[in-house]
């Protein structure tokens, strides 16, 4: 598992939620991203829906992901 934290605006939280629900079929579909350590392209999937916390004027998006083989 990979846990990522992203600083987001309110609008970006809505985009991320839409990406999770629509593009990733609520976590059922894989997506392409960059491996956080190697920088190589990989396929990932969500283990849980994104969570959000406030961080000053921004939001902190917490993603729990899995790198697919």
């Amino acid at each position: 598992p990979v846990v990522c934290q992203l600083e987001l605006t309110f609008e970006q939280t809505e985009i991320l939620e839409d990406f999770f629900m629509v593009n990733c079929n609520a976590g059922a579909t894989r997506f392409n991203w960059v491996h956080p350590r190697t920088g190589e392209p990989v396929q990932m999937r969500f283990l849980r829906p994104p969570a959000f916390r406030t961080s000053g004027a921004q939001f902190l998006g917490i993603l729990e992901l899995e790198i697919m083989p």
Side-chain angles (χ1 to χ4, degrees), residues 10-22:
F10 177 77
E11 291 79 17
Q12 290 170 323
T13 65
E14 292 181 324
I15 293 167
L16 179 56
E17 285 181 322
D18 187 60
F19 176 74
F20 173 77
M21 292 302 297
V22 176

Side-chain angles (χ1 to χ4, degrees), residues 1-6 31 33-38 42-48 61-68:
V2 176
V3 177
C4 300
Q5 295 185 5
L6 306 171
F31 62 95
W33 210 17
V34 176
H35 191 286
R37 185 177 50 80
T38 66
V42 292
Q43 287 196 334
M44 294 189 166
R45 71 178 181 103
F46 284 92
L47 293 175
R48 290 187 172 69
I62 301 150
L63 311 179
E64 292 186 46
L65 309 169
E66 178 179 36
I67 298 171
M68 303 307 292

